[in-house]
Amino acid sequence: MKHIALILITFVFLSCQEKQTIKETPKTEDESFTFATWTNPGGEFDKDKWEAKLAAYDSLGISEILVGGNPEFYNQLIPLASEKNIKVHAWMWTLNRPGDTIANKHPEWYAVNRAGNNSLEYRAYVDYYQWLSPFHPEAREHVKNNVRKLTKVKGLASIHLDYVRYVDVILGADLQPKYNLVQTTEMPEYDYGYHPIAREGFKEIFGKDPQDFEHPELNTEWRQYRLNAVSSLVNELVEISHDNGHKMTAAVFPFPEMSRQMVRQPWDDFNLDAAYPMVYNNFYRENVNWIGFAIEQGINKVEFPIYAGLYSPALTDAKDLEKAIRLVKEKGAKGFSIFTADNLSAEQKAIFIKLKEEFNYE
């Protein structure tokens, strides 16, 4: 009996040791669930400030950051981030180019709405909405040059496109009251893509000027024609990025069908390496379950990885934040990026710390 007891004790001990060993073995990169954040560069590069920020991110399990900047900025940041094993994505505003000193000299590069307004002169919703037209060849080349500059930076996790779409033709339900709007139809001043080059190109194919349609917003060919201008630009940018040894990702609207309707963004036609759907549920007056629904739609539409974009002010209740993160993982997202980890509460940070251990270790 003593021998049997000894064997049982040994078996239990070894089993516990085995479980402990498994628990402490990190998952591989392909298996891990990524915690990331969008963050702003914060003006001139400050080494001490960034060392503190990176240490804070690391403590929360954040292993990737998406941050705007120029090549010089990234060349200073990447070595610091590498010390913490944090990857850096170059966050680039693509077609919305507020204060672009080169583009500002060329008003003809800018997008035009159905009312005939140029986006440089008439700024829909907010002053920083200054959108280039994906139909103007020189505007497209300018965007490509912005990508080419970033491809010179070594060590980027990706070049991350944002605002790669048209102006919001329909705002989220929670945003409309802020602008004293009720958008039950596609209003001319917010319906973009009517650049003279676009109208002429459409007329060459179909023999019709979309401006003459009684309801151009209902014309399937006209909508698809405008969608194609964005997807072709993105895929040319992807090619430039890949040819220079870089991956390309993008922040996109919640799921493809919704994205097409609200901002003319057919992101399931983009040849990306990954997409970050911004499932900001409060913008649409939706609950946390909607986040899982939206991510699932994207997962079912594309073959590239998806990382959920979460909005911290919409998830101030720590239980909601935890539920959202668990949902997107359950639906198949490879991770999430939050906007932004810089303003998390103590309760929200506790959720990050809890889940980083649970998700990234067996």
Side-chain angles (χ1 to χ4, degrees):
M1 292 294 291
K2 289 182 179 179
H3 291 296
I4 294 173
L6 182 60
I7 290 169
L8 287 173
I9 291 169
T10 304
F11 175 76
V12 171
F13 174 76
L14 290 173
S15 296
C16 291
Q17 286 293 99
E18 183 180 358
K19 287 180 181 177
Q20 185 177 6
T21 302
I22 292 173
K23 184 179 179 181
E24 293 177 354
T25 303
K27 292 184 178 181
T28 66
E29 187 171 339
D30 289 339
E31 295 173 323
S32 64
F33 184 78
T34 301
F35 290 26
T37 184
W38 284 284
T39 185
N40 292 310
E44 204 169 313
F45 186 82
D46 184 323
K47 184 173 182 287
D48 293 338
K49 182 196 77 173
W50 272 104
E51 285 180 336
K53 283 185 74 167
L54 291 165
Y57 295 153
D58 185 49
S59 72
L60 298 174
I62 291 171
S63 60
E64 303 192 17
I65 59 174
L66 304 102
V67 55
N70 57 33
E72 182 183 357
F73 168 80
Y74 294 120
N75 286 331
Q76 294 177 86
L77 177 61
I78 289 171
L80 292 183
S82 296
E83 293 176 7
K84 294 290 186 183
N85 293 317
I86 292 177
K87 296 178 181 178
V88 176
H89 299 253
W91 179 12
M92 173 184 141
W93 286 27
T94 311
L95 284 170
N96 183 24
R97 302 290 305 171
D100 187 322
T101 55
I102 296 174
N104 283 174
K105 297 174 183 175
H106 303 277
E108 72 278 7
W109 288 6
Y110 286 80
V112 177
N113 64 20
R114 196 180 351 147
N117 303 128
N118 178 301
S119 184
L120 183 60
E121 298 158 2
Y122 173 79
R123 299 173 184 180
Y125 308 116
V126 288
D127 190 58
Y128 68 83
Y129 261 27
Q130 301 169 33
W131 294 76
L132 299 180
S133 172
F135 287 99
H136 198 291
E138 292 177 11
R140 288 172 74 101
E141 191 62 25
H142 177 59
V143 172
K144 291 177 187 178
N145 284 335
N146 291 333
V147 169
R148 290 185 183 108
K149 291 173 186 174
L150 293 174
T151 64
K152 305 302 180 186
V153 180
K154 294 181 180 179
L156 287 173
S158 83
I159 296 171
H160 181 69
L161 306 179
D162 199 356
Y163 290 103
V164 61
R165 55 180 179 85
Y166 293 85
V167 171
D168 319 55
V169 64
I170 301 288
L171 286 175
D174 200 55
L175 298 177
Q176 292 181 31
K178 296 179 181 180
Y179 301 97
N180 297 315
L181 290 171
V182 178
Q183 292 177 317
T184 54
T185 60
E186 296 184 3
M187 301 166 70
E189 57 267 46
Y190 307 113
D191 181 16
Y192 277 77
Y194 289 78
H195 194 283
I197 293 175
R199 291 168 56 193
E200 186 59 35
F202 185 84
K203 189 175 180 180
E204 286 179 10
I205 300 171
F206 298 100
K208 305 169 186 176
D209 185 341
Q211 195 68 275
D212 295 335
F213 296 162
E214 185 177 355
H215 291 288
E217 73 277 12
L218 300 180
N219 186 275
T220 305
E221 290 79 15
W222 174 230
R223 175 172 293 198
Q224 188 61 50
Y225 184 78
R226 288 180 288 171
L227 293 174
N228 292 347
V230 173
S231 57
S232 65
L233 173 61
V234 170
N235 292 335
E236 287 170 18
L237 298 178
V238 171
E239 189 173 344
I240 291 169
S241 188
H242 286 179
D243 286 348
N244 287 276
H246 286 273
K247 291 183 178 181
M248 179 156 280
T249 61
V252 295
F253 264 56
F255 56 91
E257 187 60 33
M258 181 181 184
S259 184
R260 278 178 161 81
Q261 180 183 18
M262 299 189 78
V263 295
R264 318 273 194 241
Q265 184 185 58
W267 60 265
D268 51 335
D269 291 334
F270 297 174
N271 298 329
L272 298 169
D273 294 293
Y276 292 67
M278 298 174 288
V279 285
Y280 299 171
N281 57 304
N282 65 320
F283 285 13
Y284 311 102
R285 295 180 181 166
E286 299 288 355
N287 61 21
V288 175
N289 289 333
W290 176 86
I291 292 174
F293 171 84
I295 290 300
E296 190 172 29
Q297 307 318 300
I299 294 286
N300 291 337
K301 282 282 189 177
V302 299
E303 296 182 359
F304 48 74
I306 282 180
Y307 298 81
L310 302 178
Y311 189 54
S312 58
L315 303 166
T316 53
D317 186 324
K319 291 180 181 178
D320 286 342
L321 176 61
E322 180 173 353
K323 182 178 180 180
I325 295 172
R326 290 189 183 280
L327 262 177
V328 300
K329 185 176 189 294
E330 175 190 318
K331 297 300 183 182
K334 297 295 185 183
F336 71 89
S337 179
I338 197 154
F339 188 80
T340 169
D342 298 333
N343 60 10
L344 295 175
S345 67
E347 292 77 14
Q348 288 174 312
K349 289 177 181 178
I351 296 300
F352 272 62
I353 293 167
K354 172 186 175 181
L355 295 183
K356 75 167 182 173
E357 297 292 341
E358 179 182 335
F359 288 171
N360 291 325
Y361 289 85
E362 293 286 353

